[in-house]
Amino acid sequence: MKVRLPKGMGGGPQDMNSIMRQAQKMQEDMAAKQAELEEKEYDISAGGGVVDLKINGKKEITSLTLAPEIVDPDDIETLQDIIIAAVNEAIKRVEDTSSEEMSKITGSIPGLPGMF
């Protein structure tokens, strides 16, 4: 028994070539976007502005500034907590931005947006 597929479904070499070109274009777009995102820099502030840091798209901290009033030798724990909060927020912002930008390229292809 021979199954007939609707026109354009399961097609021949032309359909496969078209799909391959689309996949290659998507891959190129994703690589270009990834390079662009790695160059981006994010400014993060925590503790009401007593800790400021900059992070790039590669998740590398490039700058950390502490306000003098947060440096209290008798309360190191607060300073540590605020720095941890700032770093965690910075990483989250980089990941959220990257995921959002990549999903614009991949569209509704299941599984791809979460890969980045």
Side-chain angles (χ1 to χ4, degrees):
M1 173 182 219
K2 193 169 190 175
V3 176
R4 291 182 183 248
L5 295 174
K7 187 161 182 95
M9 295 289 295
Q14 289 178 331
D15 288 338
M16 186 55 97
N17 287 338
S18 175
I19 291 169
M20 293 301 288
R21 279 193 302 275
Q22 289 174 337
Q24 184 175 4
K25 168 109 173 65
M26 185 183 298
Q27 186 176 19
E28 290 168 1
D29 291 349
M30 289 171 65
K33 181 57 75 175
Q34 187 64 41
E36 178 186 323
L37 289 169
E38 286 178 356
E39 294 301 315
K40 190 170 177 153
E41 190 168 77
Y42 303 81
D43 294 314
I44 308 297
S45 182
V50 294
V51 172
D52 292 309
L53 68 83
K54 292 181 189 280
I55 186 170
N56 64 26
K58 296 177 188 175
K59 300 178 192 168
E60 299 167 335
I61 304 295
T62 58
S63 171
L64 175 67
T65 305
L66 305 174
E69 63 268 18
I70 195 60
V71 182
D72 180 355
D74 296 325
D75 188 13
I76 295 297
E77 292 80 18
T78 297
L79 176 58
Q80 292 168 339
D81 290 345
I82 293 173
I83 291 173
I84 289 169
V87 170
N88 287 338
E89 174 60 28
I91 292 169
K92 183 179 181 326
R93 181 142 352 139
V94 171
E95 289 175 348
D96 289 351
T97 300
S98 180
S99 179
E100 181 180 310
E101 291 298 317
M102 287 300 174
S103 69
K104 290 178 184 176
I105 294 170
T106 61
S108 61
I109 298 174
L112 285 182
M115 290 175 57
F116 300 96

